Amino acid sequence: MIDSLTLQALLIAGLPWLIALAIVAAFLGLGFWRLRKFFEARARARGGEDVLVTLRITIPRFKNDDDTRQNDNAAGVKEKIAITETLFSALGGLKPDKGFWAWFVGRTDSFAFEIVAHEKLVTFYVTVPRRYQEFVEQQIHAQWSDAFVEPIEDYNMFTPTGTVVAGYLRFKRESVIPIKTYKEMDGDPLNAITNALAKVGESDGVAIQFVVRPAKSTWRALGLRIVRNMQQGMSFQDAKKGSKSHGWFATKEDIEKSKEKQRERRLSAAETKMLEGIENKLSKAGLETTIRVVASAANTEEAQMYLTNVLQAFGQYNVYEYGNSFEKNIPSSRKAILEGFIFRTFHQSHFLVLNTEELASLWHLPLPTSETPNIRWMSARTAPAPVNVPQSGLHIGFNVYRGKKTEIYMNEADRRRHTYIIGKTGSGKTEFIKNMALQDIRNGKGVAVIDPHGDLADDLMGLIPKERLDDVVYFNPSDLERPMGLNMLEAPDENMRDFAVQEMISIFYMLFPPEMIGPMFEHNMRNYMLTLMADVKNPGTIVEIPRMISDDAFQKAWVAKVKDPLVRSFWEDEMAKTSDYHKSEMMGYLVSKVGRFVENEMMRNIIGQSKSAFNFRDIMDNQKILLVNLSKGKTGEVNASLLGLILVAKLQMAAFTRADIPEDQRKDFYLYIDEFQNFVTPSIATILSEARKYRLNLVLAHQYMGQLVRDGKSEIRDAVLGNVGTIMVARVGPEDIETLGKVFEPTFSGQDLMNTDMYTWNVKMIIDNAQAKPFTMKAYPPAKGSRKVGDALKEISRLQFGQDKEIVSRDILERAGYASRKEVVAAPMSPPSSL
């Protein structure tokens, strides 16, 4: 055996070694701790850059919806908040990260739920590990079917010159003790928080961040012990410890008496309430939660005020007598808390455990009943693209729904059922039309674009591909030096004369109030026009109508060409018996209607030419490009309307003459008309119902429904809505939702149609000759062309199809009887170039 002296000597001799060993162990421990912190920080930084995804969540708010009116009571509010519990239950049910690596570098199963006030908007965000992104998006959409979840670049509410203050929220008591939840409140508890955030200035920012992760099952142990012990008679303090201290000198008899008193002790009402709350909290999934509040402002006083206002809003959750309450913890150093805020890290020292009910009370998406201003609501609901959307054809845009992007196409067969586009000014109609027409041009299709503003036609001129430069006709009435002819009385053949005359009568009804036209004007004008159209190869013009009344010789020369017995009867039986006085009255009556065009030099030089500058049937059959610039600022509103009406009528007549070729040989021709209400007559129903047989496919666009109702008559509106196959609606006004809402219900409400974003369309498309469900579509950005190319093409077109102004003017004046043959320079008009 070793005596005490020997043992003492050995210990003294080994003491330096023990001290050295302790120092080495300390250094190793410090080095390991530093190494762990290094890897933890690196993993955190890497997670912020590569692994975490920030999702911005918006939902629609419709105060007038029936469900909002029916569920704005307390029960309805609780029911809507309870939806969020399902989301947190799904997260709480995830298996927590375990193992050495999770301990060494930190867990990566944290989710950050945030409410942020920045740039005068209160926005809701969720930041998730990338591997959980799809899972979280599915959970959100499962609970909020109308929610729009958008991955974004992380927001930044800090300014270089601002001041930042921040703090944590923690419990005053153990986490198993519950706080007050939405089920115990009369209204939405989030209102107090969002109201505080709504007061944040435009250049300032405040964020409330809840970093949550699944809690380990051991979190319930303390609560179960407290409940069990208090039910056995212990006080709360003793129940936490697990037993009652009886002192050093307590006898066995004293301990037994104490236990007997515990068994006889009755719980107070407050203690009973506490136990019920603990049991309720333990019955639901728990999540470990770090709560941060960060405020940024121009100065410390404002930032501190924002922080205080938000922290005070959490007082509504406090239960002072038998529950838990929040208290703030403002760290001395802001660096760590701001770093944790930016990287959404869970803090091991500053966390508490909340169950799903408590978390839903603290964070949930805003309710439609919320009165808080400045909440970022979703402007309009979205809907998925049909599963049978074509995979090829005209590419008109794309649909994004719940993270899935679908390209949207229209095939040719469906386009023959025509397309109707409506939206307010600035909603993107013109650019949308430009993209469609440009694709048709690049695909070698026949295209006509009637543009009342001029920008669309000019932009397309700069986008014409090289292989189609020879196909372009650019019609610009404001080109006074080389006007292009457009004879209103020129019909493709004898069978189309009556149609042409009827269209001209309809045009006059469109241009003048009905009381200024009347049956007598219609009767006389019809016979005058049919007479001037008697010679199909060399027809007269509207400019010559006054001379038909005043010049008997001129009149007889044209009447001699008439073959229609009814028209001859008009001249021989009716006009022959009309006195000169009545003829004079009639002349004034007719001239007052046509005079505004005949007396205008620009219009006279266009509609006074006996031959149109280009052949409409040739343009359609040979798939050429007609771009019409009817800029109202240069042409005049009434003049632009007249020319547009003539152009549409001539394209319609040209389409109908295609009956002479088999249907399968008729090539599709696409007619785009912006502000089409100015360029169509009530016969639009005929065009929409019959023109597709002749492959004239219309794309009609305008701003609002009221433009289609004239003098209380809605035949144009009814014809459009009743015949078009595809309807595309951008943002519209409240007057239109009564009509269009019926078309898009129940997928979209009137509020959705009123609040659509720019370049976003609500589409009801026909697919394979069957109507598909409405869906949301985004349009692609507009293309930009070369102005130099456009100007060059305009010059070529005006030289090829226009006529010299002097020659045109002299010929028209001579035929109208305003100049004698001797006064006219003997220089016949050169015939228009054919395409």
Side-chain angles (χ1 to χ4, degrees), residues 161-200:
T161 59
T163 302
V164 180
V165 295
Y168 295 99
L169 279 174
R170 63 188 181 189
F171 279 155
K172 287 187 176 181
R173 293 182 174 182
E174 290 75 11
S175 286
V176 294
I177 310 300
I179 56 173
K180 186 185 294 185
T181 68
Y182 69 92
K183 291 185 177 180
E184 303 166 272
M185 300 182 183
D186 294 332
D188 181 5
L190 202 64
N191 285 339
I193 296 175
T194 54
N195 285 339
L197 294 175
K199 299 175 183 178
V200 176

Side-chain angles (χ1 to χ4, degrees), residues 398 435 759 779-783:
F398 62 96
N435 283 348
Y759 300 126
Y780 280 101

Side-chain angles (χ1 to χ4, degrees), residues 402-600:
R402 298 186 178 180
K404 180 183 178 182
K405 183 177 180 180
T406 304
E407 301 296 339
I408 307 299
Y409 295 87
M410 292 180 68
N411 59 44
E412 286 192 355
D414 293 332
R415 294 186 67 190
R416 291 169 190 152
R417 298 294 299 272
H418 313 300
T419 303
Y420 173 53
I421 299 171
I422 181 172
K424 283 185 175 180
T425 300
S427 58
K429 295 189 306 299
T430 301
E431 299 300 339
F432 184 59
I433 294 172
K434 184 203 298 183
N435 283 348
M436 293 176 68
L438 181 59
Q439 284 187 71
D440 286 333
I441 290 171
R442 288 174 174 171
N443 293 334
K445 305 291 186 181
V447 174
V449 177
I450 298 178
D451 176 21
H453 307 295
D455 294 336
L456 173 58
D458 287 347
D459 289 348
L460 285 171
M461 287 293 286
L463 291 164
I464 302 296
K466 291 188 297 183
E467 64 274 14
R468 303 219 61 190
L469 296 180
D470 295 335
D471 294 338
V472 180
V473 179
Y474 180 76
F475 180 67
N476 180 12
S478 62
D479 184 357
L480 302 180
E481 298 304 316
R482 292 193 67 83
M484 295 185 189
L486 190 64
N487 188 358
M488 303 165 71
L489 305 184
E490 185 182 39
D493 54 48
E494 294 184 357
N495 296 326
M496 297 301 297
R497 283 186 300 188
D498 286 329
F499 179 86
V501 169
Q502 186 56 46
E503 281 298 296
M504 287 307 308
I505 296 296
S506 297
I507 287 173
F508 279 106
Y509 273 109
M510 294 288 290
L511 297 176
F512 298 97
E515 59 272 14
M516 292 182 63
I517 304 299
M520 284 302 298
F521 170 87
E522 183 176 342
H523 172 67
N524 285 284
M525 183 62 76
R526 176 179 287 107
N527 283 282
Y528 276 104
M529 288 191 293
L530 286 171
T531 302
L532 290 170
M533 295 172 72
D535 188 347
V536 176
K537 294 184 178 180
N538 295 290
T541 69
I542 197 172
V543 173
E544 296 160 63
I545 289 180
R547 189 178 179 185
M548 286 284 289
I549 302 172
S550 60
D551 189 335
D552 290 337
F554 183 78
Q555 179 188 114
K556 290 178 180 178
W558 276 103
V559 172
K561 300 178 183 180
V562 174
K563 298 178 182 178
D564 189 326
L566 292 179
V567 178
R568 292 191 69 89
S569 174
F570 169 78
W571 292 106
E572 295 171 357
D573 300 331
E574 185 175 336
M575 293 300 295
K577 300 177 182 178
T578 303
S579 66
D580 292 340
Y581 172 78
H582 288 97
K583 287 182 180 179
S584 176
E585 277 192 336
M586 186 185 304
M587 180 177 179
Y589 188 56
L590 296 178
V591 170
S592 66
K593 308 301 182 296
V594 300
R596 64 190 307 171
F597 308 115
V598 173
E599 294 164 8
N600 181 291

